[in-house]
Structure formats: structure tokens, C-alpha cells
Amino acid sequence: MCVGLPAKVRKVEDGMAVIDASGAERTVSAQMIDGLEPGDYVMVHAGMAIAKITGDDDTEAEDLLEELN
């Protein structure tokens, strides 16, 4: 089973993204997602942003992250 972590994108540069996952900043590969921008939410697995969270999913992800804090 694979587990992905929702995270907010803080910065994107040279195919890499700085993400905030429950207050912990990490740098992950952003090469799998075109058009990634700061403020977007993504699912992160094994050091890579693997999917963009869109629409109502971003509100739900933000709520979940707040609950974890």
C-alpha cells in the first residue's frame, strides 16, 4: 500500500518544489506535475509531488492539516 501526504506548495523552481506538510518544510520533485504554482496543494509520495489536489479537495486537505497540528 502506498501512502501519500497532502502538502501546500510554498515555492517552485527548476523542477523542484518546497512544500509545507503540517509545518515541516521539505523539497520534493515537481517534475510530474505541469503548471504547479505556490499555494497549490499536492499529494507527496517518496519525495515526489505525484498529484495536484484541486477544487474542494484543497479545503479538505487544509482542514486535515490543521487537525494534525
Side-chain angles (χ1 to χ4, degrees):
M1 175 170 72
C2 296
V3 177
L5 174 71
K8 186 172 186 176
V9 176
R10 296 289 182 203
K11 178 180 172 183
V12 180
E13 186 176 311
D14 298 326
M16 301 298 285
V18 175
I19 53 116
D20 180 342
S22 300
E25 280 197 357
R26 292 188 169 82
T27 302
V28 299
S29 173
Q31 294 180 351
M32 291 183 66
I33 304 173
D34 290 329
L36 197 59
E37 298 286 334
D40 289 342
Y41 283 86
V42 293
M43 288 300 290
V44 177
H45 176 68
M48 298 186 76
I50 59 171
K52 193 173 186 180
I53 300 171
T54 59
D56 293 332
D57 293 338
D58 61 355
T59 302
E60 183 177 346
E62 190 170 84
D63 291 344
L64 288 171
L65 289 172
E66 285 180 25
E67 285 181 29
L68 293 173
N69 287 329

Short mmCIF file of all heavy atoms in Angstrom, two decimals:
data_model
loop_
_atom_site.label_atom_id
_atom_site.label_comp_id
_atom_site.label_asym_id
_atom_site.label_seq_id
_atom_site.Cartn_x
_atom_site.Cartn_y
_atom_site.Cartn_z
N MET A 1 0.84 -1.17 0.00
CA MET A 1 0.00 0.00 0.00
C MET A 1 0.89 1.24 0.00
O MET A 1 1.88 1.30 0.70
CB MET A 1 -0.89 0.00 1.24
CG MET A 1 -1.71 1.25 1.37
SD MET A 1 -2.98 1.24 2.65
CE MET A 1 -2.03 1.34 4.13
N CYS A 2 0.51 2.22 -0.79
CA CYS A 2 1.23 3.49 -0.85
C CYS A 2 0.48 4.53 -0.04
O CYS A 2 -0.74 4.58 -0.07
CB CYS A 2 1.34 3.97 -2.29
SG CYS A 2 2.29 2.89 -3.34
N VAL A 3 1.23 5.36 0.66
CA VAL A 3 0.63 6.42 1.45
C VAL A 3 1.14 7.75 0.94
O VAL A 3 2.35 7.96 0.85
CB VAL A 3 0.98 6.26 2.95
CG1 VAL A 3 0.40 7.40 3.75
CG2 VAL A 3 0.48 4.93 3.46
N GLY A 4 0.22 8.64 0.59
CA GLY A 4 0.58 9.97 0.14
C GLY A 4 0.28 10.97 1.24
O GLY A 4 -0.62 10.77 2.06
N LEU A 5 1.03 12.04 1.26
CA LEU A 5 0.88 13.08 2.26
C LEU A 5 0.43 14.36 1.57
O LEU A 5 1.09 14.81 0.63
CB LEU A 5 2.23 13.30 2.96
CG LEU A 5 2.33 14.45 3.94
CD1 LEU A 5 1.54 14.11 5.20
CD2 LEU A 5 3.79 14.69 4.30
N PRO A 6 -0.68 14.97 2.00
CA PRO A 6 -1.07 16.25 1.41
C PRO A 6 -0.15 17.36 1.92
O PRO A 6 0.24 17.36 3.09
CB PRO A 6 -2.50 16.45 1.89
CG PRO A 6 -2.60 15.67 3.15
CD PRO A 6 -1.64 14.52 3.01
N ALA A 7 0.21 18.27 1.03
CA ALA A 7 1.11 19.36 1.40
C ALA A 7 0.81 20.59 0.55
O ALA A 7 0.33 20.48 -0.57
CB ALA A 7 2.55 18.94 1.21
N LYS A 8 1.12 21.75 1.10
CA LYS A 8 0.94 23.02 0.39
C LYS A 8 2.27 23.43 -0.23
O LYS A 8 3.32 23.39 0.42
CB LYS A 8 0.47 24.10 1.36
CG LYS A 8 0.12 25.40 0.69
CD LYS A 8 -0.52 26.36 1.67
CE LYS A 8 -1.00 27.61 0.95
NZ LYS A 8 -1.71 28.50 1.89
N VAL A 9 2.22 23.83 -1.48
CA VAL A 9 3.42 24.25 -2.21
C VAL A 9 3.77 25.68 -1.80
O VAL A 9 2.93 26.58 -1.87
CB VAL A 9 3.20 24.17 -3.74
CG1 VAL A 9 4.42 24.70 -4.48
CG2 VAL A 9 2.89 22.74 -4.15
N ARG A 10 5.00 25.89 -1.37
CA ARG A 10 5.47 27.22 -0.98
C ARG A 10 6.27 27.89 -2.11
O ARG A 10 6.20 29.10 -2.29
CB ARG A 10 6.36 27.13 0.26
CG ARG A 10 5.64 26.64 1.49
CD ARG A 10 4.69 27.70 1.98
NE ARG A 10 4.03 27.24 3.20
CZ ARG A 10 2.89 27.69 3.62
NH1 ARG A 10 2.26 28.62 2.94
NH2 ARG A 10 2.35 27.23 4.71
N LYS A 11 7.04 27.09 -2.86
CA LYS A 11 7.92 27.64 -3.89
C LYS A 11 8.17 26.57 -4.94
O LYS A 11 8.28 25.39 -4.61
CB LYS A 11 9.24 28.06 -3.23
CG LYS A 11 10.27 28.62 -4.15
CD LYS A 11 11.52 28.99 -3.36
CE LYS A 11 12.66 29.37 -4.27
NZ LYS A 11 13.88 29.66 -3.52
N VAL A 12 8.26 26.98 -6.21
CA VAL A 12 8.58 26.06 -7.29
C VAL A 12 9.73 26.65 -8.10
O VAL A 12 9.66 27.81 -8.51
CB VAL A 12 7.36 25.83 -8.22
CG1 VAL A 12 7.72 24.87 -9.34
CG2 VAL A 12 6.17 25.32 -7.44
N GLU A 13 10.77 25.85 -8.30
CA GLU A 13 11.93 26.34 -9.05
C GLU A 13 12.74 25.16 -9.58
O GLU A 13 13.06 24.23 -8.83
CB GLU A 13 12.81 27.18 -8.12
CG GLU A 13 13.96 27.86 -8.80
CD GLU A 13 14.72 28.77 -7.85
OE1 GLU A 13 14.08 29.58 -7.15
OE2 GLU A 13 15.96 28.65 -7.80
N ASP A 14 13.06 25.20 -10.87
CA ASP A 14 13.94 24.21 -11.50
C ASP A 14 13.47 22.77 -11.28
O ASP A 14 14.26 21.88 -10.96
CB ASP A 14 15.38 24.36 -11.01
CG ASP A 14 15.98 25.70 -11.37
OD1 ASP A 14 15.64 26.24 -12.45
OD2 ASP A 14 16.79 26.22 -10.58
N GLY A 15 12.16 22.52 -11.43
CA GLY A 15 11.64 21.17 -11.31
C GLY A 15 11.51 20.66 -9.89
O GLY A 15 11.20 19.48 -9.67
N MET A 16 11.74 21.52 -8.92
CA MET A 16 11.63 21.14 -7.51
C MET A 16 10.61 22.07 -6.83
O MET A 16 10.42 23.20 -7.25
CB MET A 16 12.98 21.26 -6.80
CG MET A 16 14.08 20.39 -7.41
SD MET A 16 13.74 18.63 -7.33
CE MET A 16 14.04 18.30 -5.60
N ALA A 17 9.98 21.55 -5.78
CA ALA A 17 9.01 22.35 -5.03
C ALA A 17 9.34 22.27 -3.55
O ALA A 17 9.65 21.20 -3.03
CB ALA A 17 7.59 21.83 -5.27
N VAL A 18 9.28 23.42 -2.90
CA VAL A 18 9.37 23.46 -1.44
C VAL A 18 7.93 23.34 -0.96
O VAL A 18 7.07 24.13 -1.36
CB VAL A 18 10.01 24.76 -0.94
CG1 VAL A 18 9.97 24.83 0.58
CG2 VAL A 18 11.44 24.87 -1.45
N ILE A 19 7.67 22.33 -0.13
CA ILE A 19 6.31 22.09 0.35
C ILE A 19 6.26 22.21 1.87
O ILE A 19 7.28 22.05 2.55
CB ILE A 19 5.80 20.70 -0.09
CG1 ILE A 19 6.77 19.56 0.29
CG2 ILE A 19 5.57 20.68 -1.59
CD1 ILE A 19 6.19 18.62 1.26
N ASP A 20 5.07 22.51 2.36
CA ASP A 20 4.82 22.57 3.80
C ASP A 20 3.85 21.45 4.12
O ASP A 20 2.70 21.46 3.69
CB ASP A 20 4.21 23.92 4.17
CG ASP A 20 3.92 24.06 5.65
OD1 ASP A 20 3.85 23.05 6.36
OD2 ASP A 20 3.73 25.21 6.08
N ALA A 21 4.32 20.47 4.86
CA ALA A 21 3.49 19.33 5.27
C ALA A 21 3.35 19.39 6.79
O ALA A 21 4.26 19.00 7.52
CB ALA A 21 4.12 18.03 4.83
N SER A 22 2.26 19.94 7.25
CA SER A 22 1.99 20.07 8.69
C SER A 22 3.09 20.82 9.42
O SER A 22 3.50 20.44 10.52
CB SER A 22 1.79 18.69 9.32
OG SER A 22 0.71 18.03 8.72
N GLY A 23 3.61 21.87 8.80
CA GLY A 23 4.64 22.70 9.43
C GLY A 23 6.06 22.28 9.12
O GLY A 23 6.99 23.01 9.43
N ALA A 24 6.25 21.11 8.53
CA ALA A 24 7.60 20.66 8.16
C ALA A 24 7.84 20.98 6.70
O ALA A 24 7.09 20.53 5.82
CB ALA A 24 7.73 19.15 8.39
N GLU A 25 8.87 21.78 6.42
CA GLU A 25 9.20 22.10 5.04
C GLU A 25 10.15 21.07 4.48
O GLU A 25 11.10 20.65 5.14
CB GLU A 25 9.82 23.50 4.94
CG GLU A 25 8.81 24.59 4.98
CD GLU A 25 9.35 25.91 4.48
OE1 GLU A 25 10.55 26.02 4.15
OE2 GLU A 25 8.56 26.86 4.43
N ARG A 26 9.86 20.67 3.24
CA ARG A 26 10.71 19.71 2.52
C ARG A 26 10.80 20.15 1.08
O ARG A 26 9.90 20.82 0.57
CB ARG A 26 10.11 18.31 2.58
CG ARG A 26 10.13 17.72 3.96
CD ARG A 26 9.69 16.25 3.91
NE ARG A 26 9.95 15.59 5.16
CZ ARG A 26 9.16 15.64 6.22
NH1 ARG A 26 8.08 16.36 6.19
NH2 ARG A 26 9.47 14.99 7.33
N THR A 27 11.84 19.71 0.41
CA THR A 27 11.97 19.93 -1.02
C THR A 27 11.72 18.60 -1.71
O THR A 27 12.32 17.59 -1.35
CB THR A 27 13.37 20.46 -1.36
OG1 THR A 27 13.59 21.69 -0.64
CG2 THR A 27 13.49 20.74 -2.85
N VAL A 28 10.80 18.63 -2.68
CA VAL A 28 10.43 17.41 -3.41
C VAL A 28 10.48 17.68 -4.90
O VAL A 28 10.43 18.83 -5.34
CB VAL A 28 9.02 16.92 -3.01
CG1 VAL A 28 8.96 16.58 -1.52
CG2 VAL A 28 7.94 17.92 -3.37
N SER A 29 10.53 16.63 -5.69
CA SER A 29 10.48 16.76 -7.13
C SER A 29 9.08 17.20 -7.56
O SER A 29 8.08 16.68 -7.07
CB SER A 29 10.81 15.43 -7.80
OG SER A 29 10.60 15.52 -9.20
N ALA A 30 9.03 18.15 -8.48
CA ALA A 30 7.75 18.63 -9.01
C ALA A 30 7.64 18.32 -10.50
O ALA A 30 6.78 18.85 -11.19
CB ALA A 30 7.63 20.14 -8.79
N GLN A 31 8.47 17.43 -11.00
CA GLN A 31 8.54 17.17 -12.43
C GLN A 31 7.34 16.43 -12.99
O GLN A 31 7.10 16.46 -14.19
CB GLN A 31 9.83 16.41 -12.75
CG GLN A 31 11.05 17.26 -12.48
CD GLN A 31 12.35 16.53 -12.79
OE1 GLN A 31 12.36 15.34 -13.06
NE2 GLN A 31 13.44 17.27 -12.75
N MET A 32 6.57 15.76 -12.15
CA MET A 32 5.41 15.02 -12.64
C MET A 32 4.17 15.89 -12.86
O MET A 32 3.20 15.45 -13.46
CB MET A 32 5.05 13.90 -11.66
CG MET A 32 6.06 12.78 -11.61
SD MET A 32 5.56 11.45 -10.49
CE MET A 32 4.11 10.82 -11.34
N ILE A 33 4.21 17.14 -12.38
CA ILE A 33 3.02 17.99 -12.43
C ILE A 33 3.35 19.29 -13.19
O ILE A 33 4.18 20.08 -12.75
CB ILE A 33 2.50 18.33 -11.02
CG1 ILE A 33 2.23 17.04 -10.25
CG2 ILE A 33 1.26 19.19 -11.10
CD1 ILE A 33 1.88 17.27 -8.80
N ASP A 34 2.68 19.50 -14.31
CA ASP A 34 2.85 20.73 -15.08
C ASP A 34 2.06 21.86 -14.45
O ASP A 34 0.97 21.66 -13.93
CB ASP A 34 2.37 20.54 -16.52
CG ASP A 34 3.27 19.62 -17.32
OD1 ASP A 34 4.48 19.59 -17.05
OD2 ASP A 34 2.74 18.94 -18.23
N GLY A 35 2.61 23.06 -14.50
CA GLY A 35 1.89 24.25 -14.06
C GLY A 35 1.72 24.38 -12.56
O GLY A 35 0.80 25.07 -12.10
N LEU A 36 2.57 23.75 -11.79
CA LEU A 36 2.48 23.84 -10.33
C LEU A 36 2.88 25.23 -9.87
O LEU A 36 3.88 25.79 -10.33
CB LEU A 36 3.40 22.78 -9.71
CG LEU A 36 3.17 22.42 -8.26
CD1 LEU A 36 1.76 21.91 -8.04
CD2 LEU A 36 4.18 21.38 -7.81
N GLU A 37 2.08 25.81 -8.98
CA GLU A 37 2.30 27.17 -8.50
C GLU A 37 2.28 27.20 -6.98
O GLU A 37 1.63 26.37 -6.34
CB GLU A 37 1.17 28.09 -9.01
CG GLU A 37 1.08 28.23 -10.51
CD GLU A 37 2.19 29.08 -11.09
OE1 GLU A 37 2.73 29.94 -10.36
OE2 GLU A 37 2.52 28.89 -12.27
N PRO A 38 2.98 28.19 -6.38
CA PRO A 38 2.87 28.37 -4.93
C PRO A 38 1.41 28.54 -4.52
O PRO A 38 0.64 29.21 -5.22
CB PRO A 38 3.68 29.64 -4.66
CG PRO A 38 4.67 29.67 -5.77
CD PRO A 38 3.92 29.13 -6.97
N GLY A 39 1.02 27.90 -3.43
CA GLY A 39 -0.36 27.94 -2.96
C GLY A 39 -1.16 26.70 -3.36
O GLY A 39 -2.19 26.43 -2.78
N ASP A 40 -0.67 25.97 -4.37
CA ASP A 40 -1.34 24.72 -4.76
C ASP A 40 -1.13 23.68 -3.67
O ASP A 40 -0.18 23.73 -2.90
CB ASP A 40 -0.75 24.17 -6.07
CG ASP A 40 -1.12 24.97 -7.29
OD1 ASP A 40 -2.09 25.75 -7.23
OD2 ASP A 40 -0.43 24.82 -8.32
N TYR A 41 -2.04 22.72 -3.64
CA TYR A 41 -1.90 21.57 -2.75
C TYR A 41 -1.58 20.35 -3.60
O TYR A 41 -2.13 20.19 -4.70
CB TYR A 41 -3.18 21.32 -1.95
CG TYR A 41 -3.35 22.29 -0.82
CD1 TYR A 41 -3.95 23.51 -1.01
CD2 TYR A 41 -2.88 21.97 0.45
CE1 TYR A 41 -4.09 24.42 0.02
CE2 TYR A 41 -3.02 22.87 1.51
CZ TYR A 41 -3.63 24.08 1.29
OH TYR A 41 -3.77 24.97 2.31
N VAL A 42 -0.69 19.50 -3.09
CA VAL A 42 -0.29 18.30 -3.81
C VAL A 42 -0.27 17.10 -2.87
O VAL A 42 -0.21 17.25 -1.65
CB VAL A 42 1.12 18.47 -4.43
CG1 VAL A 42 1.12 19.50 -5.53
CG2 VAL A 42 2.16 18.81 -3.38
N MET A 43 -0.31 15.93 -3.47
CA MET A 43 -0.05 14.68 -2.74
C MET A 43 1.42 14.36 -2.97
O MET A 43 1.90 14.40 -4.11
CB MET A 43 -0.92 13.54 -3.26
CG MET A 43 -2.37 13.68 -2.89
SD MET A 43 -2.68 13.71 -1.11
CE MET A 43 -2.33 12.03 -0.68
N VAL A 44 2.13 14.04 -1.89
CA VAL A 44 3.56 13.75 -1.96
C VAL A 44 3.79 12.31 -1.55
O VAL A 44 3.24 11.83 -0.55
CB VAL A 44 4.35 14.70 -1.03
CG1 VAL A 44 5.82 14.36 -1.04
CG2 VAL A 44 4.14 16.15 -1.45
N HIS A 45 4.59 11.61 -2.34
CA HIS A 45 4.97 10.23 -2.02
C HIS A 45 6.40 10.01 -2.48
O HIS A 45 6.76 10.35 -3.61
CB HIS A 45 4.04 9.24 -2.71
CG HIS A 45 4.43 7.81 -2.51
ND1 HIS A 45 4.33 7.20 -1.27
CD2 HIS A 45 4.95 6.90 -3.36
CE1 HIS A 45 4.77 5.95 -1.40
NE2 HIS A 45 5.13 5.75 -2.65
N ALA A 46 7.21 9.45 -1.60
CA ALA A 46 8.60 9.08 -1.91
C ALA A 46 9.40 10.24 -2.50
O ALA A 46 10.14 10.08 -3.46
CB ALA A 46 8.63 7.88 -2.85
N GLY A 47 9.20 11.44 -1.93
CA GLY A 47 9.98 12.60 -2.36
C GLY A 47 9.53 13.24 -3.65
O GLY A 47 10.25 14.04 -4.23
N MET A 48 8.32 12.88 -4.12
CA MET A 48 7.80 13.45 -5.36
C MET A 48 6.37 13.94 -5.17
O MET A 48 5.57 13.27 -4.51
CB MET A 48 7.80 12.40 -6.47
CG MET A 48 9.16 11.87 -6.82
SD MET A 48 9.10 10.77 -8.23
CE MET A 48 8.92 11.98 -9.54
N ALA A 49 6.07 15.09 -5.76
CA ALA A 49 4.69 15.54 -5.83
C ALA A 49 4.05 14.71 -6.94
O ALA A 49 4.46 14.78 -8.09
CB ALA A 49 4.62 17.02 -6.16
N ILE A 50 3.06 13.87 -6.58
CA ILE A 50 2.52 12.92 -7.55
C ILE A 50 1.15 13.32 -8.10
O ILE A 50 0.75 12.79 -9.14
CB ILE A 50 2.43 11.49 -6.95
CG1 ILE A 50 1.55 11.46 -5.71
CG2 ILE A 50 3.83 10.97 -6.66
CD1 ILE A 50 1.26 10.07 -5.20
N ALA A 51 0.46 14.22 -7.44
CA ALA A 51 -0.85 14.66 -7.93
C ALA A 51 -1.20 16.00 -7.33
O ALA A 51 -0.86 16.29 -6.18
CB ALA A 51 -1.93 13.64 -7.56
N LYS A 52 -1.87 16.82 -8.12
CA LYS A 52 -2.35 18.10 -7.65
C LYS A 52 -3.74 17.91 -7.04
O LYS A 52 -4.57 17.22 -7.61
CB LYS A 52 -2.42 19.07 -8.83
CG LYS A 52 -2.59 20.50 -8.47
CD LYS A 52 -2.46 21.33 -9.74
CE LYS A 52 -2.48 22.78 -9.46
NZ LYS A 52 -2.36 23.56 -10.71
N ILE A 53 -3.96 18.49 -5.88
CA ILE A 53 -5.26 18.44 -5.22
C ILE A 53 -6.03 19.68 -5.68
O ILE A 53 -5.54 20.80 -5.53
CB ILE A 53 -5.11 18.42 -3.69
CG1 ILE A 53 -4.31 17.20 -3.26
CG2 ILE A 53 -6.47 18.44 -3.02
CD1 ILE A 53 -3.92 17.20 -1.79
N THR A 54 -7.21 19.48 -6.23
CA THR A 54 -7.95 20.61 -6.81
C THR A 54 -9.34 20.76 -6.20
O THR A 54 -9.81 19.88 -5.50
CB THR A 54 -8.11 20.41 -8.33
OG1 THR A 54 -8.81 19.20 -8.56
CG2 THR A 54 -6.77 20.38 -9.03
N GLY A 55 -9.97 21.88 -6.53
CA GLY A 55 -11.35 22.13 -6.13
C GLY A 55 -11.56 22.07 -4.63
O GLY A 55 -10.79 22.62 -3.86
N ASP A 56 -12.62 21.39 -4.23
CA ASP A 56 -12.96 21.27 -2.82
C ASP A 56 -11.93 20.45 -2.05
O ASP A 56 -11.87 20.52 -0.83
CB ASP A 56 -14.34 20.65 -2.64
CG ASP A 56 -15.45 21.57 -3.15
OD1 ASP A 56 -15.25 22.80 -3.14
OD2 ASP A 56 -16.50 21.04 -3.56
N ASP A 57 -11.14 19.65 -2.77
CA ASP A 57 -10.12 18.84 -2.11
C ASP A 57 -9.11 19.69 -1.36
O ASP A 57 -8.61 19.29 -0.32
CB ASP A 57 -9.36 17.97 -3.12
CG ASP A 57 -10.23 16.90 -3.75
OD1 ASP A 57 -11.25 16.53 -3.14
OD2 ASP A 57 -9.88 16.44 -4.84
N ASP A 58 -8.77 20.89 -1.88
CA ASP A 58 -7.77 21.71 -1.21
C ASP A 58 -8.28 22.21 0.14
O ASP A 58 -7.54 22.27 1.11
CB ASP A 58 -7.27 22.87 -2.08
CG ASP A 58 -8.33 23.86 -2.50
OD1 ASP A 58 -9.52 23.62 -2.20
OD2 ASP A 58 -7.98 24.84 -3.15
N THR A 59 -9.56 22.55 0.24
CA THR A 59 -10.14 22.96 1.53
C THR A 59 -10.11 21.81 2.51
O THR A 59 -9.75 21.97 3.67
CB THR A 59 -11.58 23.46 1.34
OG1 THR A 59 -11.58 24.53 0.40
CG2 THR A 59 -12.18 23.93 2.65
N GLU A 60 -10.47 20.63 2.04
CA GLU A 60 -10.45 19.45 2.89
C GLU A 60 -9.03 19.14 3.35
O GLU A 60 -8.80 18.83 4.52
CB GLU A 60 -11.03 18.25 2.16
CG GLU A 60 -11.12 17.01 3.01
CD GLU A 60 -11.77 15.84 2.29
OE1 GLU A 60 -12.39 16.04 1.23
OE2 GLU A 60 -11.63 14.73 2.80
N ALA A 61 -8.06 19.25 2.45
CA ALA A 61 -6.67 18.99 2.81
C ALA A 61 -6.18 19.99 3.85
O ALA A 61 -5.51 19.62 4.82
CB ALA A 61 -5.78 19.05 1.57
N GLU A 62 -6.52 21.27 3.67
CA GLU A 62 -6.12 22.29 4.64
C GLU A 62 -6.73 22.01 6.01
O GLU A 62 -6.06 22.11 7.03
CB GLU A 62 -6.52 23.67 4.15
CG GLU A 62 -5.92 24.80 4.96
CD GLU A 62 -6.13 26.13 4.30
OE1 GLU A 62 -7.22 26.72 4.48
OE2 GLU A 62 -5.21 26.58 3.60
N ASP A 63 -8.01 21.62 6.04
CA ASP A 63 -8.68 21.28 7.30
C ASP A 63 -8.00 20.10 7.98
O ASP A 63 -7.79 20.10 9.20
CB ASP A 63 -10.16 20.98 7.07
CG ASP A 63 -10.96 22.22 6.67
OD1 ASP A 63 -10.45 23.35 6.86
OD2 ASP A 63 -12.07 22.04 6.17
N LEU A 64 -7.66 19.09 7.21
CA LEU A 64 -6.98 17.91 7.76
C LEU A 64 -5.61 18.26 8.33
O LEU A 64 -5.22 17.79 9.39
CB LEU A 64 -6.84 16.82 6.71
CG LEU A 64 -8.11 16.09 6.32
CD1 LEU A 64 -7.88 15.19 5.11
CD2 LEU A 64 -8.64 15.27 7.48
N LEU A 65 -4.87 19.10 7.61
CA LEU A 65 -3.55 19.51 8.09
C LEU A 65 -3.67 20.28 9.40
O LEU A 65 -2.85 20.12 10.30
CB LEU A 65 -2.82 20.35 7.02
CG LEU A 65 -2.35 19.57 5.80
CD1 LEU A 65 -1.83 20.54 4.75
CD2 LEU A 65 -1.30 18.55 6.17
N GLU A 66 -4.69 21.14 9.52
CA GLU A 66 -4.89 21.90 10.76
C GLU A 66 -5.23 20.97 11.92
O GLU A 66 -4.78 21.18 13.03
CB GLU A 66 -6.00 22.95 10.56
CG GLU A 66 -5.56 24.13 9.75
CD GLU A 66 -6.67 25.17 9.57
OE1 GLU A 66 -7.58 25.22 10.42
OE2 GLU A 66 -6.60 25.92 8.60
N GLU A 67 -6.01 19.93 11.64
CA GLU A 67 -6.36 18.97 12.68
C GLU A 67 -5.14 18.21 13.19
O GLU A 67 -5.06 17.86 14.37
CB GLU A 67 -7.38 17.94 12.16
CG GLU A 67 -8.78 18.51 12.04
CD GLU A 67 -9.76 17.48 11.54
OE1 GLU A 67 -9.56 16.28 11.81
OE2 GLU A 67 -10.74 17.89 10.89
N LEU A 68 -4.17 17.98 12.32
CA LEU A 68 -2.95 17.26 12.70
C LEU A 68 -2.04 18.11 13.58
O LEU A 68 -1.24 17.57 14.33
CB LEU A 68 -2.19 16.79 11.47
CG LEU A 68 -2.88 15.71 10.64
CD1 LEU A 68 -2.10 15.46 9.35
CD2 LEU A 68 -3.05 14.43 11.44
N ASN A 69 -2.16 19.42 13.49
CA ASN A 69 -1.29 20.31 14.28
C ASN A 69 -1.71 20.40 15.70
O ASN A 69 -2.48 20.18 16.35
CB ASN A 69 -1.23 21.72 13.68
CG ASN A 69 -0.42 21.72 12.43
OD1 ASN A 69 0.51 20.96 12.27
ND2 ASN A 69 -0.79 22.59 11.50
#
